[in-house]
Amino acid sequence: MRRLWLLILLWCSAPWAHTEIRVGGYPFAPFVEKGPGGQWYGLTLDLIAALNRSQPDYRFIFVPTSSAQRYKALDIGRFDMMMFEDLKWGWHDHAVQASSSYYLGGEVYVAMRAPGRDQRFFEDVTRHRLIGVEGYHYGFSQFEGDPAHLRQRFRITLVKDNHSTLRALQLGRGDVAVLTRAYLDSQLAREPALAEQLLISTRLDQRYQLRMLIAPAAPIALPVFEQMMQSLTRQGVAATLWRRYGLAPRSVP
């Protein structure tokens, strides 16, 4: 009997005794990005690593998905939660638990500079050829995310991520691109010359509050996860991660 208890104790203390939490993610810079070699990186991946270092009970792992498939994938249990989502992006019909807001951001309209072109160019963006990301929800479309409906209502080219959106604009595949402000700021920091090429709208397509969404059957309760995030905030870890991606520390709760 004593030997049996020792075996049970060893099993419980083993690395595989962690409760596994699968975190879904899709290309959404700077939160999730995919490198040329197929590696995933971004704030979400760094936050997962920080959560794993901060406590011994849960093991968070990243599970890639697509922006269009993320709803069904969460519903059927392919993963347990998603990070940095806005509820108005099609989540109201899904049973999810939403955390506090962890980032306040938005998306802007961007065009190539041209003689005589100014902010009036963005007064009615639906008159122009648009470029966006398939599966994203935009303010100009009242947050309609279905690609077929978007193509029916607008002259729009849908691509796979923000990188492709900016590239398509530079190649002349559209007149106005919709980009996340955080992604655009990071690109301008890397390539200051872009500021001379791009005309950026002073008004936003949308403002959003990004939260963590947890499935009802997930093996972690929302209050437990919130406590982990509060711990990272108190230690200054969260603010350091946010700054790494050019996000304002004030956006950390």
Side-chain angles (χ1 to χ4, degrees):
M1 179 62 72
R2 182 179 178 184
R3 185 175 181 182
L4 176 61
W5 279 110
L6 284 172
L7 288 172
I8 293 173
L9 182 62
L10 286 171
W11 185 89
C12 291
S13 62
W16 57 79
H18 294 146
T19 299
E20 186 178 277
I21 308 298
R22 296 160 298 166
V23 181
Y26 57 92
F28 177 33
F31 305 99
V32 176
E33 301 186 63
K34 190 175 184 179
Q39 74 279 15
W40 294 95
Y41 65 97
L43 176 54
T44 294
L45 283 296
D46 288 354
L47 180 56
I48 286 173
L51 287 165
N52 287 336
R53 289 192 299 268
S54 69
Q55 47 74 45
D57 300 320
Y58 296 90
R59 186 71 179 173
F60 293 82
I61 62 170
F62 179 73
V63 178
T65 186
S66 69
S67 56
Q69 293 297 318
R70 67 191 192 270
Y71 309 99
K72 182 178 179 181
L74 187 67
D75 288 343
I76 65 176
R78 184 162 178 259
F79 39 80
D80 305 302
M81 65 177 295
M82 296 202 70
M83 295 182 172
F84 303 109
E85 287 281 330
D86 192 302
L87 285 171
K88 66 176 177 283
W89 293 346
W91 288 107
H92 288 297
D93 294 331
H94 299 264
V96 293
Q97 304 172 72
S99 74
S100 306
S101 172
Y102 285 96
Y103 177 66
L104 305 178
E107 290 176 337
V108 293
Y109 302 120
V110 182
M112 301 303 295
R113 288 189 181 273
R117 184 175 290 179
D118 57 23
Q119 289 296 319
R120 289 172 295 182
F121 190 71
F122 302 115
E123 287 178 353
D124 181 7
V125 296
T126 61
R127 296 186 297 109
H128 302 300
R129 295 178 302 148
L130 300 168
I131 308 169
V133 178
E134 185 166 347
Y136 281 22
H137 295 72
Y138 295 113
F140 70 81
S141 66
Q142 287 73 54
F143 303 102
E144 170 61 66
D146 183 83
H149 289 170
L150 289 173
R151 292 189 178 102
Q152 185 177 23
R153 292 176 57 194
F154 308 101
R155 291 181 296 160
I156 188 168
T157 296
L158 296 173
V159 295
K160 64 179 181 178
D161 54 30
N162 275 289
H163 296 300
S164 302
T165 303
L166 180 57
R167 182 62 176 158
L169 179 69
Q170 293 172 314
L171 292 174
R173 294 179 58 194
D175 306 310
V176 175
V178 191
L179 293 171
T180 63
R181 184 76 239 193
Y183 166 76
L184 183 59
D185 287 345
S186 68
Q187 289 301 110
L188 291 172
R190 294 174 192 168
E191 302 179 55
L194 274 177
E196 301 300 319
Q197 303 172 26
L198 303 178
L199 178 66
I200 302 168
S201 65
T202 55
R203 70 183 183 92
L204 297 177
D205 173 74
Q206 65 169 300
R207 295 181 186 274
Y208 45 61
Q209 299 185 52
L210 301 187
R211 307 171 187 272
M212 314 308 191
L213 304 183
I214 298 179
I220 187 170
L222 179 59
V224 173
F225 180 80
E226 295 264 47
Q227 288 174 5
M228 292 182 191
M229 290 297 297
Q230 289 166 10
S231 176
L232 292 181
T233 299
R234 287 193 301 270
Q235 297 167 22
V237 174
T240 299
L241 292 180
W242 267 236
R243 288 193 192 97
R244 182 181 299 169
Y245 292 93
L247 306 181
R250 66 177 179 274
S251 60
V252 182

